[in-house]
Amino acid sequence: MDRTKSAKVSLFAVWTILLVLNVNGQSGCDTHRFANNIAFTSCTPLAALGSFLHWNYNGQNSTVSIAYRHPGTSSSSWIAWGLNPSGARMLGTQALVAFTNSSGQFQAYTSSVDDLNTQLPPGSLSFGVSLVSATLVNGEATIFATLELPANLVMTNQVWQEGPVANGVPQIHQRTGDNIRSIGRIDFRTGQSSASGGGSGNRLRRRNTHGILNAVSWGVLLPMGAMMARYMKVFTAPTWFYLHIVFQVSGYVIGVSGWATGIKLGNDSPGTSYSTHRNLGIALFTFATLQVFALLLRPKPDHKYRFYWNVYHHTVGYATIILSIINIFKGFDILDPEDKWRWAYIGILIFLGACVVILEPLTWFIVLRRKSRGGNTVAAPISNKYSNGVNGTTSTTGQHHQDA
């Protein structure tokens, strides 16, 4: 009986919690009450930034009265909501903007986003707007307006945003996380909305594909290929050489695919620019391509220029790996995925680092022991085609052994 009673109590508690959560979720939109008994027949929670859109659509005169609501607004930040018939992006948005001006008043006005570095100056829109006002109460900002919509704007793209204010002027918003996801599709007639407008869903998939390809190629395969060349030669030859080539060529091919995806994303997103991430990506592609061409120009092991080729090969190779890891974390900051993906990659780096810590002294121990016994520094059998030694060392046979 006690167990039955305990089970009933637990079930009741779970049911109560779910009911409370459900009511709280609805209170953010459907059950919200505006001042002065203003009521809206349609409402949708927007997909990012914790915002809500309420509206009444009048099909007879093609007008829509809206209330864009954004909790968590301070006196040092601006909010904006708008429609963009030209595409699912910031540039071209016909926006309603509100912020606390230098007089301490929370003002609302219209602004057409015609420049990527806009400071949202007041201006007319491509459609009629009236009754523009705004309120800021207990940290919740609301913009009210009535829009006179042509037929092509009854169902269109919507964009909303928040950002800082400095010296009474709106500044550029962040370009990570929710600030790059605040775009959607709205149909005022049917009351339906979606989390992404136009091709933004495809762009999100391309962004994820771009991140995965680059993390696997530049961030995993290339470091593993370098480790094959540095450590495996003392254990197995010429297998290490072929493993090195397989990892590096695979990493390059996959990495170029990821790089090309990133270039395409940049060209398709004129309103977004990540100059550091982009420039590092171009540098990585250049270095990796030089490494591929260097293989075609590799001198023979006994050539007088082989030493200089190895210095170049090692320097560019290690620089590529270091820049790759830096740029992958830059990508994490931009894409802002769940923390588990960042920690998963950090775990891979820790594993590779642990392998280096173990293999580095072990490799030198084997090399020095072989040299003390008068043997070759690399695993036998091996020919000059693959002979490398360790770190460009010279074997006891008098022949120079350099990394591939």
Side-chain angles (χ1 to χ4, degrees):
M1 291 295 294
D2 292 340
R3 291 183 178 179
T4 303
K5 182 180 295 185
S6 177
K8 290 182 178 179
V9 171
S10 300
L11 182 60
F12 177 77
V14 171
W15 178 259
T16 302
I17 292 172
L18 292 175
L19 181 62
V20 170
L21 290 175
N22 185 55
V23 171
N24 287 341
Q26 291 180 347
S27 66
C29 188
D30 295 336
T31 61
H32 182 78
R33 295 291 180 264
F34 291 93
N36 300 324
N37 295 320
I38 299 176
F40 294 91
T41 58
S42 300
C43 173
T44 182
L46 301 180
L49 298 174
S51 302
F52 303 87
L53 181 68
H54 306 253
W55 74 91
N56 291 324
Y57 175 70
N58 188 333
Q60 294 181 347
N61 57 12
S62 296
T63 61
V64 58
S65 300
I66 67 100
Y68 169 70
R69 190 161 55 88
H70 182 73
T73 303
S74 69
S75 59
S76 59
S77 61
W78 57 265
I79 65 168
W81 174 89
L83 302 176
N84 192 342
S86 62
R89 57 180 180 268
M90 179 187 76
L91 193 63
T93 298
Q94 306 297 293
L96 304 170
V97 185
F99 69 94
T100 303
N101 59 25
S102 56
S103 302
Q105 296 179 335
F106 194 67
Q107 64 172 2
Y109 60 93
T110 60
S111 178
S112 179
V113 182
D114 301 321
D115 184 83
L116 298 180
N117 297 315
T118 181
Q119 292 183 322
L120 299 173
S124 60
L125 303 186
S126 61
F127 49 84
V129 183
S130 60
L131 304 177
V132 180
S133 64
T135 61
L136 178 60
V137 180
N138 297 326
E140 181 172 274
T142 305
I143 300 176
F144 299 93
T146 297
L147 315 179
E148 300 173 10
L149 298 181
N152 67 319
L153 287 183
V154 174
M155 181 177 66
T156 188
N157 305 298
Q158 63 172 335
V159 182
W160 62 100
Q161 196 55 261
E162 66 174 357
V165 175
N167 299 320
V169 178
Q171 305 298 307
I172 296 176
H173 61 79
Q174 295 183 9
R175 291 174 175 174
T176 60
D178 272 9
N179 292 91
I180 58 175
R181 301 190 187 103
S182 54
I183 188 169
R185 192 80 177 165
I186 184 71
D187 188 334
F188 292 111
R189 181 183 292 107
T190 64
Q192 295 180 347
S193 64
S194 61
S196 57
S200 65
N202 291 330
R203 280 200 299 274
L204 181 58
R205 285 191 293 272
R206 291 201 300 269
R207 283 162 58 88
N208 292 335
T209 300
H210 168 73
I212 293 172
L213 290 176
N214 286 314
V216 171
S217 58
W218 306 107
V220 178
L221 293 178
L222 292 188
M224 290 183 66
M227 292 171 64
M228 294 296 167
R230 184 170 180 82
Y231 302 121
M232 294 302 293
K233 65 173 61 70
V234 299
F235 300 106
T236 175
T239 304
W240 71 265
F241 180 80
Y242 297 118
L243 288 174
H244 175 64
I245 294 299
V246 167
F247 275 99
Q248 300 303 80
V249 172
S250 299
Y252 176 75
V253 171
I254 297 174
V256 169
S257 300
W259 175 80
T261 305
I263 295 297
K264 176 64 174 175
L265 283 169
N267 293 336
D268 290 345
S269 306
T272 306
S273 176
Y274 305 104
S275 57
T276 301
H277 184 65
R278 182 185 180 93
N279 292 337
L280 284 175
I282 294 174
L284 288 171
F285 171 75
T286 303
F287 287 166
T289 303
L290 288 175
Q291 288 286 69
V292 171
F293 282 109
L295 289 176
L296 304 177
L297 302 175
R298 183 180 59 159
K300 294 182 178 180
D302 56 351
H303 196 281
K304 63 179 181 179
Y305 292 124
R306 181 59 182 258
F307 170 79
Y308 302 103
W309 183 91
N310 277 302
V311 171
Y312 153 80
H313 186 60
H314 296 157
T315 302
V316 175
Y318 288 127
T320 301
I321 292 173
I322 293 172
L323 290 179
S324 297
I325 295 174
I326 293 174
N327 211 28
I328 286 171
F329 281 102
K330 288 285 186 182
F332 278 129
D333 292 337
I334 294 170
L335 194 57
D336 194 26
E338 296 182 24
D339 288 341
K340 64 181 181 180
W341 298 110
R342 185 189 299 266
W343 283 108
Y345 183 64
I346 292 175
I348 292 174
L349 292 182
I350 292 174
F351 172 76
L352 295 178
C355 291
V356 170
V357 170
I358 295 172
L359 292 174
E360 185 72 21
L362 178 61
T363 301
W364 279 107
F365 172 77
I366 295 174
V367 170
L368 295 176
R369 186 176 66 174
R370 289 176 180 171
K371 290 184 67 174
S372 66
R373 293 178 179 178
N376 202 330
T377 60
V378 294
I382 190 169
S383 66
N384 282 342
K385 181 178 179 180
Y386 311 107
S387 180
N388 289 11
V390 176
N391 298 326
T393 59
T394 304
S395 73
T396 56
T397 62
Q399 294 173 323
H400 291 282
H401 299 291
Q402 305 290 349
D403 286 2

